Amino acid sequence: MSRDTLLAVENLSVYYGQFRALVGATISVGAGEIVSIIGANGAGKSSLLKAIVGQADRIEGAIRFEGSDLAGRSTADIVAGGVALVPEGRRLFPSLTVEENLHIGWEVGRRGEIGFDDIYRFFPILKDKRRQLAGELSGGQQQMVAVGRALLANPKLLLCDEISLGLAPTVIKDLYEIIPAIKARGIGILVVEQDITRSLAVADRFYCLLEGKVNLSGRPAETSHDTVVKHYFGL
């Protein structure tokens, strides 16, 4: 494992009962590196993220963060140690204000240089709506809160699960434009997406999953679109 490797997933299988959702996956993410995980529905992308944050039913293989084994650690402990997840579906508290939802990330994470002012610079609309209930926001604004909440945990590794799902193209563009700024702070980012083009445009490296297995990996600039599409669909 390289000195700068944040996350090292080695020969990981994830089980739900007898069903194996992920099969022997080996994946790494470095500090200040954007890694994309692409694949269709049911490819095992979300299962990978759940395993990293300690929410999978059962795993085999190794998950190491900064060289330390994550197996058996609680989600709260993993988050406090520097891993934050932007979950699919956002999972905000609709009856709390924007600021109260953001504060949850601040409370459960680690202390660091990212504060509320940084989040409001990334997403100026949230400053205007900080006293509004999260349940009253648009889907795109709620996703901004979800990203902001994760960043306020001051992660060393940020996991993003389908952050563009169901959002308007202009909102997706805004969300993806801040990813390089997050990377510039030295944060490693693991982006899980179905959208091949959007995901690979921002990634330093990628892994393609098909039926729970890594069937292609590399750098987007060195891999043809046709090759990616064939592996994505298993052609």
Side-chain angles (χ1 to χ4, degrees):
M1 186 171 68
S2 156
R3 180 170 56 86
D4 295 326
T5 299
L6 280 177
L7 178 73
V9 174
E10 298 167 0
N11 198 29
L12 180 68
S13 293
V14 177
Y15 295 85
Y16 298 97
Q18 297 301 309
F19 174 67
R20 185 159 61 162
L22 199 65
V23 185
T26 295
I27 287 162
S28 66
V29 182
E33 181 182 39
I34 303 170
V35 175
S36 173
I37 306 291
I38 59 172
N41 267 336
K45 305 184 304 297
S46 292
S47 293
L48 170 65
L49 297 191
K50 286 178 180 176
I52 294 168
V53 297
Q55 294 181 353
D57 285 1
R58 181 167 66 89
I59 69 168
E60 292 175 353
I63 307 172
R64 294 188 180 90
F65 177 66
E66 295 188 310
S68 297
D69 193 354
L70 295 186
R73 290 171 60 179
S74 69
T75 300
D77 186 39
I78 292 168
V79 172
V83 180
L85 171 66
V86 183
E88 182 180 352
R90 302 182 278 274
R91 297 186 197 166
L92 302 179
F93 292 92
S95 61
L96 299 182
T97 66
V98 166
E99 198 152 83
E100 287 168 338
N101 271 279
L102 290 173
H103 207 272
I104 291 168
W106 178 258
E107 289 175 349
V108 302
R110 53 190 283 274
R111 296 286 73 87
E113 64 178 27
I114 299 176
F116 285 86
D117 287 345
D118 295 287
I119 303 308
Y120 294 144
R121 272 196 295 273
F122 283 142
F123 305 117
I125 189 68
L126 296 187
K127 185 172 185 179
D128 297 337
K129 294 180 176 290
R130 63 189 183 279
R131 306 207 196 299
Q132 193 167 333
L133 298 182
E136 298 173 352
L137 302 179
S138 69
Q141 291 163 359
Q142 288 182 11
Q143 190 64 281
M144 292 174 190
V145 176
V147 173
R149 178 182 60 188
L151 289 175
L152 279 168
N154 273 278
K156 298 176 185 178
L157 175 66
L158 180 67
L159 312 175
C160 298
D161 193 1
E162 303 281 10
I163 60 172
S164 68
L165 195 63
L167 300 181
T170 53
V171 176
I172 297 169
K173 179 174 175 288
D174 290 344
L175 285 167
Y176 267 86
E177 280 180 348
I178 75 156
I179 289 180
I182 298 168
K183 169 187 170 173
R185 292 175 177 262
I187 298 170
I189 307 168
L190 188 61
V191 179
V192 162
E193 275 286 8
Q194 289 185 57
D195 185 329
I196 300 174
T197 304
R198 178 71 64 183
S199 184
L200 296 188
V202 76
D204 297 304
R205 292 188 300 112
F206 75 95
Y207 297 87
C208 183
L209 291 178
L210 179 71
E211 296 178 352
K213 298 178 181 178
V214 176
N215 69 349
L216 181 68
S217 64
R219 296 185 177 277
E222 298 169 359
T223 312
S224 74
H225 183 74
D226 284 350
T227 298
V228 172
V229 169
K230 286 176 181 176
H231 284 79
Y232 185 100
F233 291 109
L235 301 176

